[in-house]
Amino acid sequence: MSRALSFRRSLLHLRHHRPKPLSPTTPPPPKPIQNPFTPLNPARKFCTSPTPTPSTNSEVRKYIGYTALVIFCGAATYYSFPFPGNAKHKKAQLFRYAPLPEDLHTVSNWSGTHEVQTRNFYQPENIEQLEKLVKENNEKRARIRPVGSGLSPNGIGLARSGMVNLALMDKVLEVDKEKKRVRVEAGIRVQELVDGIKEYGLTLQNFASIREQQIGGIVQVGAHGTGARLPPIDEQVISMKLVTPAKGTIEISKEKDPELFYLARVGLGGLGVVSEVTLQCVERQELVEHTFISNMKDIKKNHKKLLSENKHVKYLHIPYTDAVVVVTCNPVSKWKGPPKYKPKYTTDEALQHVRDLYKESLEKYRIAAAKSSDDNEPDINELSFTELRDKLLALDPLSKDHVVKINRAEAEFWRKSEGYRVGWSDEILGFDCGGQQWVSENCFPAGTLAKPSLKDLEFIEKLKQLIEKEEIPAPAPIEQRWTARSQSSMSPASSSAEDDIFSWVGIIMYLPTMDARQRKEITEEFFHYRHLTQAELWDKYSAYEHWAKIEVPKDKDELAALKERLRRRFPVDAYNKARKELDPNKILSNNMLEKLFPLSETN
């Protein structure tokens, strides 16, 4: 029973279902059109005369034409109108001449931006099952791409040919309290790991925004938290076990094989299935989070101090305003204790401006009556800020003027939310990212802690100028974080200089609706936004996208340019050489890896 519960829990963010098959014999009839008019019977007589007159024939033809027109319009409306997300494949199924196979599984990432269907989705319960699975599929040359929690915006772990997920390999195997080290199975989620070791007084050094990632996945894509003295999460890895197709299970560390170890820590799932990870932890601490509003002028004056004097710091820039939300986190002082602070505003007061804008917008878009009559519509006073923002954006997500109003309301919300919060690091360092969204996050050098280059602030200024010039409906926030360097050669923050720091900047567009047409329009606008930032900023600031957020171009020339660009930053030949040695049949690969790192192009 516990294993079944674990299975259900592990797929919380990984939609995994089987479409219902249709009849295998004949294609299903199209859905009947609900026509309010009763079609006229062309055989009906319009006079008592046994022989219809010419005028009667004309009348019959007229009504037949009306009937055909109504049918045509109804069919056109039905087949062109967007379907809700739960009917995603409805139109395609109407024209299928064969049923969907019973064993065909649909797997998508959390944002619903990438999806594949596969017959092969494996969840081994222990390393022996995993080793057998990898061996057998290597012999058959059948792909089993490692997929984690499905949280990556670009679906880096998805593969139509087949996937392996370690959600059932989620144990804490060993805790060394003295050395502050923990050995875990790679399928354990971050929150489960933190909960499992807190009784030993230990925790992870840093956290990403959310806690649902599997440890294997968060390490392999080079995820990060924030803090200019703290490196990305892969730097916490002391050793790893990889189940490889060609060499079986190997254990790697900087002592045993430093070159492979530093390459495989951010291996993108292409060098082996990470089965176990040993992590360097730190003592569990309570943190004080301080949130306040600033502006770019003041940020420039205090930037070096903010980076150097705070363990964790991030900026939330709000487009079309000068507001910068600053969030710092530091250990509670043993001498002073937590700060004594009484907030100026209650939560309701902080949200009131956003609620008022929502009510005003409902009236403007003339849907207040429909909303009030909807029994499923939640009470506006029960919605969080991010839920209110999603509902506001859903009304008109691509209207620049509407988005500007929302951003200004967000700035007001943060102004009234200034203050302090105390809690354990795994509670404090999280961030409510909002609903489904498109994200592009770039990493670029920002000098050193002793001498910041200020290129990070210049990047933001240029980005906001670009947004305003192009009138992009860019919602808030533009999140900016910092890390120390990583020694992992495939990390976007990799550097040989120990004191280098890197800035990470993310742009977003939310997907607050399941309307297929609207999501498509938001997607197109987002990629226009992303393309502009790429053209204007990436090369100038040596910015490279997060591996979990990079998108593979469809255009051949753009793809060629991206591959060349990646070669200038990362050891692509060394990475592909390791892939050939450990996975010669490419069973751990997928479309993304094959396009970005084609083995045929290497010696």
Side-chain angles (χ1 to χ4, degrees):
M1 175 62 73
S2 62
R3 179 53 60 185
L5 291 174
S6 174
F7 176 81
R8 292 181 61 192
R9 181 190 67 237
S10 71
L11 294 183
L12 181 62
H13 292 286
L14 197 62
R15 296 195 323 220
H16 181 197
H17 60 274
R18 299 177 180 177
K20 294 181 180 179
L22 301 174
S23 171
T25 54
T26 58
K31 181 180 178 180
I33 299 166
Q34 302 300 319
N35 185 5
F37 304 101
T38 303
L40 298 173
N41 184 353
R44 178 182 174 185
K45 296 181 179 180
F46 289 89
C47 66
T48 57
S49 172
T51 305
T53 63
S55 61
T56 303
N57 288 335
S58 175
E59 193 79 9
V60 170
R61 287 196 299 272
K62 179 175 74 173
Y63 282 108
I64 290 174
Y66 287 160
T67 302
L69 180 61
V70 169
I71 292 172
F72 175 81
C73 291
T77 300
Y78 177 76
Y79 287 109
S80 63
F81 198 80
F83 285 93
N86 61 4
K88 198 167 186 179
H89 306 294
K90 191 172 184 181
K91 284 190 283 188
Q93 289 183 359
L94 285 170
F95 298 99
R96 287 188 184 275
Y97 288 87
L100 290 172
E102 288 268 351
D103 60 347
L104 189 64
H105 308 290
T106 299
V107 183
S108 72
N109 66 339
W110 168 73
S111 281
T113 54
H114 292 269
E115 176 182 282
V116 296
Q117 292 179 329
T118 181
R119 288 182 174 85
N120 304 307
F121 188 89
Y122 306 98
Q123 286 196 307
E125 296 192 26
N126 52 55
I127 193 168
E128 291 77 20
Q129 290 182 12
L130 175 60
E131 289 170 335
K132 181 180 179 182
L133 178 68
V134 172
K135 181 180 179 181
E136 289 178 351
N137 280 272
N138 186 50
E139 290 172 352
K140 295 185 294 185
R141 300 196 173 193
R143 284 190 178 171
I144 46 168
R145 173 72 176 158
V147 59
S149 304
L151 293 172
S152 297
N154 63 354
I156 188 173
L158 304 182
R160 180 165 293 135
S161 326
M163 287 166 279
V164 56
N165 178 272
L166 302 190
L168 304 183
M169 294 176 61
D170 58 355
K171 300 182 184 67
V172 175
L173 299 173
E174 182 182 1
V175 178
D176 188 331
K177 188 174 179 181
E178 184 179 343
K179 292 183 179 180
K180 300 183 179 65
R181 292 181 179 179
V182 58
R183 183 167 62 91
V184 299
E185 290 182 314
I188 192 170
R189 293 177 185 263
V190 172
Q191 190 62 58
E192 293 171 340
L193 167 57
V194 170
D195 291 342
I197 63 175
K198 64 183 178 183
E199 64 182 283
Y200 300 94
L202 301 177
T203 193
L204 298 181
Q205 184 183 50
N206 212 342
F207 295 91
S209 297
I210 51 180
R211 308 284 178 273
E212 291 301 313
Q213 303 100 325
Q214 292 178 9
I215 283 293
I218 201 172
V219 169
Q220 285 289 284
V221 297
H224 63 97
T226 190
R229 296 182 186 277
L230 304 173
I233 294 169
D234 56 273
E235 275 290 303
Q236 299 176 50
V237 178
I238 301 300
S239 64
M240 302 165 58
K241 273 188 181 179
L242 290 179
V243 180
T244 70
K247 296 187 177 182
T249 301
I250 60 175
E251 186 168 358
I252 55 175
S253 65
K254 63 180 179 181
E255 290 80 18
K256 292 182 179 179
D257 190 343
E259 184 178 354
L260 179 58
F261 174 67
Y262 288 125
L263 193 63
R265 280 202 305 195
V266 182
L268 311 181
L271 302 181
V273 183
V274 180
S275 62
E276 289 182 14
V277 181
T278 300
L279 298 159
Q280 182 65 57
C281 298
V282 296
E283 288 185 8
R284 196 165 184 246
Q285 288 183 315
E286 279 193 301
L287 298 179
V288 179
E289 178 189 80
H290 183 201
T291 302
F292 61 95
I293 285 279
S294 186
N295 56 63
M296 189 58 82
K297 182 180 178 181
D298 289 341
I299 288 292
K300 286 182 177 179
K301 292 178 183 177
N302 300 304
H303 186 51
K304 180 179 178 180
K305 183 179 179 181
L306 285 165
L307 290 183
S308 61
E309 293 186 2
N310 293 287
K311 185 173 183 180
H312 307 274
V313 62
K314 67 182 174 186
Y315 300 160
L316 304 176
H317 303 274
I318 303 181
Y320 296 103
T321 77
D322 193 35
V324 182
V325 183
V326 181
V327 184
T328 66
C329 295
N330 293 289
V332 174
S333 171
K334 294 180 180 179
W335 296 276
K336 296 180 181 179
K340 296 177 175 60
Y341 175 83
K342 184 178 179 180
K344 294 180 181 178
Y345 302 94
T346 65
T347 302
D348 281 339
E349 288 172 330
L351 284 169
Q352 193 56 50
H353 192 69
V354 188
R355 290 170 179 163
D356 290 344
L357 178 60
Y358 182 51
K359 292 174 184 176
E360 174 190 318
S361 299
L362 287 177
E363 292 292 339
K364 176 183 176 181
Y365 290 96
R366 300 183 183 278
I367 56 176
K371 291 286 182 183
S372 62
S373 64
D374 187 352
D375 294 335
N376 296 322
E377 185 68 16
D379 184 348
I380 187 174
N381 296 317
E382 296 178 359
L383 299 176
S384 68
F385 167 71
T386 54
E387 289 170 333
L388 280 168
R389 181 177 59 196
D390 265 9
K391 285 190 167 294
L392 276 163
L393 287 168
L395 297 175
D396 201 352
L398 298 181
S399 166
K400 190 266 290 185
D401 292 337
H402 182 58
V403 171
V404 168
K405 288 181 181 180
I406 299 171
N407 288 357
R408 289 173 180 167
E410 178 160 349
E412 181 68 9
F413 164 77
W414 285 112
R415 185 182 72 80
K416 292 183 176 180
S417 300
E418 290 182 319
Y420 295 86
R421 187 165 65 113
V422 179
W424 297 104
S425 58
D426 56 293
E427 300 166 348
I428 291 291
L429 293 176
F431 180 63
D432 186 352
C433 300
Q436 292 188 337
Q437 57 198 249
W438 279 106
V439 186
S440 173
E441 185 179 28
N442 274 278
C443 175
F444 56 93
T448 65
L449 200 55
K451 192 176 180 180
S453 66
L454 298 183
K455 291 287 187 181
D456 43 7
L457 300 185
E458 184 182 290
F459 183 99
I460 294 294
E461 286 185 313
K462 297 293 185 185
L463 174 57
K464 291 182 70 177
Q465 289 170 11
L466 181 65
I467 289 170
E468 293 182 11
K469 177 186 175 184
E470 299 292 334
E471 297 190 328
I472 298 168
I478 298 171
E479 188 177 8
Q480 185 170 33
R481 293 178 282 176
W482 291 265
T483 66
R485 62 91 185 235
S486 168
Q487 296 180 79
S488 300
S489 52
M490 291 294 285
S491 168
S494 66
S495 174
S496 58
E498 189 174 351
D499 56 350
D500 279 354
I501 62 173
F502 290 81
S503 181
W504 301 73
V505 175
I507 62 171
I508 58 176
M509 274 194 177
Y510 299 98
L511 293 162
T513 171
M514 293 309 296
D515 183 292
R517 184 181 300 163
Q518 200 171 33
R519 286 174 74 96
K520 181 176 181 292
E521 291 170 350
I522 295 170
T523 297
E524 290 172 351
E525 183 65 27
F526 171 78
F527 277 92
H528 172 64
Y529 179 15
R530 176 181 172 274
H531 176 75
L532 290 173
T533 63
Q534 176 182 353
E536 296 291 329
L537 301 172
W538 291 10
D539 285 339
K540 183 176 180 180
Y541 293 91
S542 299
Y544 288 83
E545 278 189 298
H546 192 310
W547 289 118
K549 294 159 187 174
I550 191 170
E551 295 288 344
V552 178
K554 295 181 180 179
D555 181 83
K556 289 184 179 180
D557 293 336
E558 290 181 10
L559 177 59
L562 175 59
K563 288 193 294 184
E564 180 58 34
R565 195 166 186 273
L566 293 176
R567 280 187 167 275
R568 294 198 298 267
R569 178 70 176 96
F570 301 104
V572 172
D573 288 340
Y575 179 66
N576 277 343
K577 180 182 177 184
R579 286 177 65 204
K580 279 186 174 181
E581 292 175 358
L582 300 175
D583 183 23
N585 294 324
K586 301 187 288 188
I587 71 164
L588 305 179
S589 190
N590 67 352
N591 182 62
M592 176 178 167
L593 255 63
E594 290 306 303
K595 289 198 171 183
L596 296 183
F597 309 109
L599 290 174
S600 59
E601 293 185 7
T602 60
N603 296 327

